[in-house]
Amino acid sequence: MKKICIYGKGGIGKSTTVSNVAAAMAEKGLSVAVVGCDPKADSTRSLTGKKIPTVLDSLRSGQTECLAFQGYLDILCIEAGGPEPGTGCAGRGIIAAIREIRERELLNKIDAVIYDVLGDVVCGGFSMPLREGVADEIYLVTTADFMSLYAANNICRGIRKYAQRGSIRLAGVIYNARSSMDNPGLVEDFAHKIGTQVIGKLPMSELIAKSELARQTVLERYPKSEVSNCFRRLSDMIMKGKGRCIPTPLTDEEVEKLCRHQF
Amino acid sequence: MKTAQECKLFGAYQALAGIEDAVVLLHSVVGCNFGTLSFHVPNRMQDIRQACTVISDNEIINGGEKSLKLALDSMLELYKPTAIFVISGCVSEMIGDDIQAVIEPYSQDQCIIRYVESAGFRGDFCDGYEHALLSLADLMEPYKVSAKPVINILGVSTDDYRAAADKKELQKLLGDQAELGTVFSQCTLDEVRKAPCAGLNLVLGHGIDLAREMKYRFGIPYELIDYPFGIEGLKEICEIFDRRFNINFSEDLARIKNEISLGLEPIYTYLQACYGMPAAVIGRDARAKGLRRFLEKELGMEVVRFARREEVGDLEEFYMTVRNSEVAVLFGSSFEQDLADELKIPLVRFDYPIFDEVCITGRSFIGTSGVLCLIEDILNAVMRNRVLKGALY
Ligand SMILES: Nc1ncnc2c1ncn2[C@@H]1O[C@H](COP(=O)(O)OP(=O)(O)OP(=O)(O)O)[C@@H](O)[C@H]1O
Ligand SMILES: [Mg+2]
């Protein structure tokens, strides 16, 4: 089983990437699962067309028969969920959900599972997918904005720590052009500097927004569009999965210098 | 590294659990309940007024507010208390429970419910004690100062060694001339309310924040003193009464002196052996300082190693200085027993926490009988010791 997780700054396009890549993999006949590791629980919305009950909701209410739901092209959708905002520990929530998934062997017959993880590595709970046995490969989503690269670099520090102890590896950077700045060169530079490469590029596109409103992936809504093809190419690259590395994060100054250089 | 003080939660507990008609609810994990209880039980086993929400996995993930509400409801039903002090701990503060919001709806009820933040990562014993004691100021009502001078005592913890007996001795000393007001916190809620009728707050090291607040709100002056061990300790209190209220206790003091010397007569030769005996003292501020004064000025001992717990970062460092000394007798809490064993010297317990001893005879450590008791304890501890470090016999 291919076990990957997607990290990146908040709002940078992780969930969009996860659901569309999952759809692209499923089109190829793979049996795919998406696990949302974000208390917002919106990772699978465009696959199921609704907000599904989360693992934590179910544990809380005691109705634990069904934790996984069938989405578009039979993609298995699971949302870890979180406590009510302001109380409880969302990080612990992710840990509890992943434990539940394991114990129930929900991912047993799956070819590829994608974990969609919240913004930054804020605590042990959110770094859970980095730990032994949960995921094998990490992809970083970033735009060409300084703060986005800065966050990606920070995440690399976390990844490095876990990678040195176990088998988890950084497998590539996904460039999302959703920004006032379109500068793929900068992101490529960054990727090389931290020891990896850009394995996919997503254009800024209205179709993404429209599909989101229709609660669908772009692949379902606009299957023939160029954006859909981008996701298909990206998913092929991920399935090939070459070039895994332990990242070498930059210093904060180096990230700043790199970004200043473009102007 | 060994910490010298307990955490903030223990401080808050020691400040509040002694209020007799109130109960304490620890919104924390079971260890906090076990820990506070284990220091409390040897002191006042008959008087247990505490509960715990026993936060575990489920609360850590989903929040502990439901459990808190459940615990409050049960406590109201079981104890029917006049007040509940909700003391938070590390875990409930880390997961971000909105404790104030949970207790808010109870504000219509008869029972007073107060939330006292006590996360261990936000402070030590002293911080917890000061913060919790200060929270009592809101319960106080302005009272007119009574005709007979009244003094409050601040800085006594619930489980302070011999504190209840000491309180009685103080009352005895004051006789008809003055009145002992509220002893924080070995008192009732009503006494807390009426505390502003006092003309003076005597602060035994801790409780200074509340003393300042009471001065600000009610104009009550305060004096900071060491624990009144020995004759010197009582003398200090008498001098304050003389200065503040024009009350003269010199006759009483002379009588006490006389009673003490009469009491010591039979063991006079043993007492001589105390002169120059090297001792180590570790305890909380006022108690440690008060004891040192007694040992040095009245028994002629030499306190060669001394530490206020508040100032000790690593207990091991203090222990190391004791190891590198000629100390023949150690004064401290139950925690110092290991060091005493290691050095084969006697340990005289005088400061919280003491959890390996019971006392049902109400022996105090101050006043006539208190001084005799303390000296008896010291001599017996030294004489019982198998190694002749004390050179008493
Ligand atoms: N390439 C793009 N073109 C247009 N809109 C985009 C593009 N990528 C993402 N978006 C939009 O940006 C918003 C944020 O995307 P998304 O929810 O996927 O981010 P995220 O990284 O999962 O955010 P969070 O950290 O909050 O979970 C969404 O409204 C999405 O439709
Ligand atoms: Mg998302």
Side-chain angles (χ1 to χ4, degrees):
Chain A
M1 176 170 49
K2 188 113 181 147
K3 296 182 280 188
I4 67 175
C5 54
I6 308 285
Y7 277 85
K9 184 176 163 54
I12 216 68
K14 298 180 294 291
S15 300
T16 309
T17 307
V18 166
S19 52
N20 282 288
V21 166
M25 287 174 174
E27 275 183 358
K28 288 248 162 130
L30 294 174
S31 134
V32 186
V34 169
V35 180
C37 297
D38 181 336
K40 286 199 301 296
D42 59 359
S43 306
T44 59
R45 180 177 166 278
S46 58
L47 291 170
T48 56
K50 60 176 186 219
K51 266 204 140 178
I52 59 172
T54 70
V55 176
L56 277 194
D57 285 337
S58 312
L59 290 179
R60 240 190 316 246
S61 66
Q63 291 171 319
T64 54
E65 308 81 50
C66 188
L67 302 181
F69 299 81
Q70 297 281 324
Y72 175 60
L73 298 180
D74 288 339
I75 294 171
L76 197 70
C77 297
I78 302 170
E79 291 283 359
E84 276 167 43
T87 68
C89 175
R92 290 286 320 169
I94 308 288
I95 292 172
I98 288 186
R99 189 184 53 209
E100 205 67 27
I101 291 168
R102 249 199 206 148
E103 272 169 15
R104 295 178 183 223
E105 302 181 338
L106 294 178
L107 304 177
N108 260 10
K109 294 185 191 104
I110 295 292
D111 300 317
V113 53
I114 313 178
Y115 295 91
D116 180 12
V117 194
L118 178 115
D120 300 82
V121 183
V122 248
C123 78
F126 295 102
S127 62
M128 182 69 186
L130 298 178
R131 293 192 212 167
E132 209 51 28
V134 180
D136 300 321
E137 291 174 2
I138 302 156
Y139 295 89
L140 286 173
V141 182
T142 182
T143 62
D145 302 292
F146 166 64
M147 275 303 174
S148 173
L149 289 168
Y150 178 83
N153 189 55
N154 265 340
I155 295 165
C156 280
R157 294 199 179 118
I159 298 172
R160 184 173 174 80
K161 200 177 76 194
Y162 287 99
Q164 281 169 335
R165 288 202 298 245
S167 61
I168 184 94
R169 293 290 180 270
L170 178 65
V173 170
I174 299 163
Y175 172 57
N176 189 353
R178 177 198 177 267
S179 164
S180 60
M181 276 186 309
D182 184 15
N183 192 345
L186 174 64
V187 177
E188 265 158 22
D189 270 3
F190 171 75
H192 288 149
K193 284 208 155 74
I194 60 169
T196 185
Q197 66 276 333
V198 174
I199 60 138
K201 291 180 188 166
L202 308 173
M204 168 114 138
S205 163
E206 204 180 80
L207 300 187
I208 291 180
K210 283 183 175 162
S211 314
E212 188 173 80
L213 273 175
R215 300 181 176 189
Q216 287 180 334
T217 57
V218 188
L219 274 84
E220 183 179 7
R221 186 100 184 142
Y222 306 105
K224 295 207 179 79
S225 65
E226 176 48 27
V227 192
S228 291
N229 287 333
C230 284
F231 284 119
R232 289 186 185 108
R233 281 197 294 277
L234 175 59
S235 104
D236 287 345
M237 287 299 286
I238 290 175
M239 283 318 286
K240 274 187 208 140
K242 286 191 286 192
R244 295 152 37 90
C245 76
I246 296 179
T248 50
L250 310 179
T251 63
D252 290 352
E253 292 73 37
E254 283 170 330
V255 183
E256 273 180 39
K257 210 173 130 199
L258 186 75
C259 292
R260 265 200 218 106
H261 211 67
Q262 63 182 316
F263 297 109
Chain B
M1 142 129 202
K2 266 194 192 132
T3 53
Q5 285 197 78
E6 285 72 40
C7 74
K8 195 171 179 185
L9 176 134
F10 278 72
Y13 176 91
Q14 285 304 322
L16 299 173
I19 298 173
E20 288 156 24
D21 39 355
V23 289
V24 160
L25 173 57
L26 300 171
H27 187 34
S28 195
V29 291
V30 73
C32 302
N33 196 39
F34 177 80
T36 49
L37 260 180
S38 65
F39 291 171
H40 174 74
V41 162
N43 291 287
R44 296 223 251 185
M45 194 182 297
Q46 78 288 6
D47 179 31
I48 292 173
R49 289 166 290 103
Q50 74 184 82
C52 179
T53 51
V54 192
I55 288 181
S56 68
D57 292 15
N58 186 46
E59 285 78 19
I60 291 169
I61 296 166
N62 294 313
E65 291 169 8
K66 252 190 210 152
S67 305
L68 176 58
K69 195 179 165 334
L70 209 68
L72 281 173
D73 291 337
S74 306
M75 285 189 97
L76 285 169
E77 196 185 312
L78 292 173
Y79 286 95
K80 305 198 173 25
T82 36
I84 299 177
F85 295 106
V86 179
I87 298 178
S88 64
C90 300
V91 176
S92 54
E93 291 295 337
M94 238 183 298
I95 60 181
D97 280 346
D98 192 345
I99 297 173
Q100 195 55 44
V102 176
I103 65 176
E104 209 70 55
Y106 292 88
S107 64
Q108 318 292 339
D109 292 10
Q110 293 276 302
C111 179
I112 297 164
I113 303 183
R114 287 294 144 96
Y115 157 45
V116 182
E117 182 271 307
S118 304
F121 55 85
R122 294 215 185 96
D124 58 21
F125 183 95
C126 294
D127 299 320
Y129 187 89
E130 293 294 337
H131 173 66
L133 208 63
L134 182 62
S135 74
L136 296 177
D138 284 340
L139 300 175
M140 294 177 186
E141 293 156 13
Y143 266 82
K144 63 170 188 294
V145 175
S146 63
K148 200 195 260 183
V150 176
I151 55 155
N152 298 324
I153 305 277
L154 279 67
V156 176
S157 297
T158 308
D159 298 320
D160 266 356
Y161 196 49
R162 306 278 159 99
D166 288 354
K167 180 180 159 184
K168 283 195 188 130
E169 278 298 318
L170 260 184
Q171 233 149 7
K172 221 161 89 187
L173 169 77
L174 300 182
D176 315 323
Q177 303 205 68
E179 217 172 277
L180 191 60
T182 312
V183 174
F184 291 92
S185 300
Q186 297 206 347
C187 56
T188 63
L189 203 68
D190 202 45
E191 287 175 315
V192 171
R193 250 187 228 117
K194 289 182 179 151
C197 75
L200 180 69
N201 282 331
L202 277 185
V203 183
L204 303 177
H206 294 288
I208 186 74
D209 286 359
L210 178 62
R212 286 198 187 109
E213 184 66 17
M214 287 176 75
K215 179 162 193 220
Y216 172 73
R217 285 198 197 187
F218 310 109
I220 302 172
Y222 64 87
E223 298 243 12
L224 205 61
I225 61 165
D226 293 338
Y227 205 80
F229 292 117
I231 295 170
E232 288 293 319
L234 294 183
K235 220 158 107 190
E236 190 180 13
I237 293 183
C238 293
E239 277 163 13
I240 290 172
F241 268 97
D242 199 5
R243 181 157 37 84
R244 292 262 175 198
F245 305 110
N246 238 329
I247 298 178
N248 195 324
F249 280 109
S250 53
E251 267 178 35
D252 306 75
L253 214 53
R255 178 181 43 81
I256 290 173
K257 250 187 207 169
N258 199 33
E259 283 169 2
I260 291 175
S261 10
L262 274 176
L264 292 176
E265 235 165 49
I267 51 126
Y268 193 66
T269 28
Y270 288 105
L271 210 55
Q272 278 178 322
C274 288
Y275 293 140
M277 189 186 289
V281 173
I282 176 160
R284 278 164 310 147
D285 184 76
R287 282 190 160 249
K289 284 180 353 207
L291 186 75
R292 177 171 63 179
R293 176 176 60 192
F294 171 68
L295 298 178
E296 287 187 337
K297 283 199 169 176
E298 297 177 45
L299 293 187
M301 284 189 171
E302 222 179 301
V303 178
V304 292
R305 293 291 183 269
F306 176 81
R308 293 170 56 237
R309 253 176 221 285
E310 294 83 345
E311 280 172 354
V312 178
D314 185 355
L315 204 52
E316 252 323 302
E317 273 172 27
F318 174 71
Y319 285 1
M320 218 49 224
T321 69
V322 176
R323 287 188 189 103
N324 299 324
S325 76
E326 280 302 296
V327 165
V329 54
L330 176 62
F331 294 84
S333 71
S334 295
F335 280 127
E336 274 63 61
Q337 186 65 59
D338 282 347
L339 179 66
D341 286 349
E342 179 195 323
L343 300 178
K344 299 195 172 65
I345 56 174
L347 167 69
V348 178
R349 291 158 180 76
F350 82 104
D351 190 25
Y352 168 90
I354 291 167
F355 45 81
D356 51 359
E357 213 182 270
V358 293
C359 179
I360 49 175
T361 49
R363 297 165 89 231
S364 83
F365 265 179
I366 65 167
T368 306
S369 67
V371 171
L372 295 177
C373 284
L374 186 51
I375 292 178
E376 191 175 85
D377 280 10
I378 296 171
L379 291 181
N380 285 338
V382 174
M383 288 167 77
R384 248 182 246 129
N385 205 44
R386 313 288 292 188
V387 180
L388 294 184
K389 269 198 170 168
L392 259 178
Y393 55 95

